[in-house]
Amino acid sequence: MKTYPLKSLTVEEAIALQFKLIDKVTREFSGYEILQNGDLGVHPLNNQPQTTRKVEKVIASLFDAEDAVFVRGAGTAAIREGLASFNFGSKKLLVHSAPIYSTTKTSIDHLNIETVACDFNDLEAVKTILENDDHIGGVLVQYTRQVLEDHYDMAEVIQTIKDVKDIPILTDDNYAVMKVQHIGVQLDADLSAFSTFKLLGPEGIGCVVGKAKYIETIRKYHYSGGSQTQGKEALDVLRSIVYAPVMLAIQATQIDEIVLRLNNNEVSGVKQAYVANAQSKVILVQLDDPIAPELLKVAVQHGAAPYPVGAESKYEIVPMFYRVSGTMLNDNAEYKDYWIRINPMRSGAITVLKILSEAIKEVK
């Protein structure tokens, strides 16, 4: 098996991103304002809470974008409303030729958008399909890996598309934002969509960042008061994501350490371990014996979380021991018995290795 994980920010780079965010805050908020809890309702000036608008400007500036908007429905709604803002009509959406993330597929179906697939790992294939299909009106590119074999470079894919055809590109930056050096819009995509829940933020708030003409269209979808992100919620997002880059960078260091130590045979019963983006960056562990389902049950008793909440949300602090993805299972049924995936969340390598070792011993 060969995997192609995304390159994570170093801890030093993550610290710099945190400092950049705080600097952007000081340019938009006064010292008095940032110590308040925000306003409510459809203010006459922008038909939205003024605090929310200020936070959106901070987020846009952080990612070097023209504008940003919060939406209700987390990352799924951010993708859906981003796609809706492109106003496809009878045009098609170009997607990667791998299984589309289930909630994204639901959104595409809901919007009645016809898709055409192409292997984004093959840039020549991308060029060919764009040159030969005049009905393609936009592109969706998922930043993290849809299948383990994916190895495309986001910057190269976006540049290839833009060189051939001037059509809007939406990047799904869930599981990548604040983990990688640049998100989609910083690489010339038109919109980037992500969930703030995955960045320690409140439940249900998504964000779309990018070109003002599309953001303004999305903002019109939120005309009514009930669809607004209130000022307090926006500040909750801001105060939470401040801590995300460094936390996620530390998590990445522990993933690398765990894989190194497992492959140095520190835990008996482990055949091999890999770093992979499946969706979030995780450890894929291949076991010597077909004990994965039982091991996962036992690991819970040793303190491991058995399933995700928001995939790296504020609620997920202990390591998660979980089955491998549905994509992997569909590819090879044997993965069910021999493989597990681990996300250390906020824990260190020592805790993950302890739980894994104890669980294997108990099952055997």
Side-chain angles (χ1 to χ4, degrees):
M1 176 185 288
K2 185 171 179 57
T3 61
Y4 303 88
L6 299 175
K7 186 178 184 299
S8 297
L9 293 176
T10 65
V11 173
E12 291 74 21
E13 290 169 336
I15 291 171
L17 182 57
Q18 174 184 309
F19 291 166
K20 179 183 178 182
L21 174 55
I22 296 300
D23 184 68
K24 301 299 184 184
V25 172
T26 64
R27 295 171 187 270
E28 192 62 44
F29 286 87
S30 74
Y32 289 111
E33 289 173 320
I34 202 62
L35 294 176
Q36 306 304 309
N37 244 356
D39 60 326
L40 302 168
V42 286
H43 192 285
L45 186 58
N46 290 306
N47 198 64
Q48 70 174 135
Q50 293 303 285
T51 306
T52 301
R53 189 72 193 98
K54 281 178 169 284
V55 177
E56 289 171 344
K57 289 179 180 178
V58 170
I59 300 299
S61 182
L62 175 68
F63 294 117
D64 311 308
E66 294 178 8
D67 205 352
V69 62
F70 290 127
V71 302
R72 293 199 173 277
T76 297
I79 294 169
R80 182 174 61 247
E81 297 196 22
L83 290 174
S85 74
F86 289 169
N87 191 23
F88 278 91
S90 61
K91 295 287 187 177
K92 302 175 186 175
L93 174 68
L94 180 64
V95 298
H96 179 40
S97 57
I100 301 173
Y101 195 62
S102 60
T103 55
T104 302
K105 185 179 186 307
T106 298
S107 294
I108 292 171
D109 292 343
H110 176 76
L111 294 168
N112 198 30
I113 298 173
E114 182 181 353
T115 60
V116 56
C118 175
D119 185 359
F120 289 168
N121 299 297
D122 184 348
L123 295 180
E124 286 302 316
V126 174
K127 289 180 184 177
T128 299
I129 196 167
L130 288 170
E131 289 170 346
N132 292 300
D133 192 335
D134 293 332
H135 291 94
I136 295 174
V139 187
L140 171 65
V141 188
Q142 182 175 301
Y143 212 122
T144 60
R145 306 315 188 192
Q146 290 173 245
V147 293
L148 294 179
E149 295 77 18
D150 282 343
H151 57 271
Y152 58 79
D153 178 88
M154 179 64 83
E156 292 179 354
V157 172
I158 292 172
Q159 189 59 58
T160 297
I161 295 166
K162 292 293 186 181
D163 284 347
V164 177
K165 187 174 291 189
D166 185 20
I167 52 176
I169 300 171
L170 169 68
T171 58
D172 172 0
D173 290 346
N174 287 298
Y175 306 103
V177 60
M178 291 193 156
K179 293 183 179 184
V180 297
Q181 194 71 48
H182 300 104
I183 66 170
V185 292
Q186 292 172 302
L187 300 172
D188 205 26
D190 297 86
L191 291 176
S192 283
F194 57 88
S195 169
T196 68
F197 189 42
K198 301 183 190 305
L199 300 172
L200 309 181
E203 298 90 331
I205 305 299
C207 187
V208 188
V209 185
K211 290 188 176 177
K213 64 179 181 180
Y214 300 118
I215 298 296
E216 189 54 37
T217 297
I218 296 171
R219 190 167 281 118
K220 290 176 182 176
Y221 301 155
H222 298 263
Y223 177 82
S224 67
S227 64
Q228 299 287 340
T229 298
Q230 302 300 331
K232 180 183 182 304
E233 294 174 304
L235 283 175
D236 285 346
V237 169
L238 186 60
R239 291 165 179 156
S240 299
I241 67 173
V242 164
Y243 301 102
V246 175
M247 181 276 293
L248 293 167
I250 293 172
Q251 179 177 302
T253 68
Q254 295 309 291
I255 288 172
D256 289 340
E257 180 180 338
I258 291 164
V259 168
L260 178 64
R261 293 173 67 174
L262 287 176
N263 288 335
N264 283 335
N265 303 312
E266 285 199 27
V267 175
S268 178
V270 171
K271 184 174 183 178
Q272 190 75 26
Y274 302 85
V275 181
N277 277 94
Q279 308 282 323
S280 52
K281 180 173 278 191
V282 296
I283 304 142
L284 295 179
V285 180
Q286 183 181 14
L287 304 166
D288 286 331
D289 301 305
I291 59 172
E294 188 62 28
L295 185 151
L296 293 177
K297 294 176 184 177
V298 171
V300 177
Q301 306 307 317
H302 290 270
Y307 52 79
V309 178
E312 302 175 337
S313 72
K314 61 187 177 182
Y315 299 110
E316 295 159 287
I317 57 174
V318 299
M320 181 181 72
F321 283 47
Y322 194 39
R323 62 165 177 78
V324 296
S325 68
T327 302
M328 282 188 68
L329 292 175
N330 289 335
D331 184 51
N332 187 340
E334 190 177 279
Y335 287 140
K336 177 183 177 182
D337 295 321
Y338 283 91
W339 292 75
I340 65 170
R341 58 175 155 169
I342 300 173
N343 188 327
M345 299 297 181
R346 321 298 178 240
S347 69
I350 188 170
T351 301
V352 172
L353 297 176
K354 173 187 70 103
I355 293 173
L356 181 58
S357 178
E358 290 174 350
I360 290 175
K361 288 177 183 176
E362 186 170 332
V363 171
K364 285 189 172 183

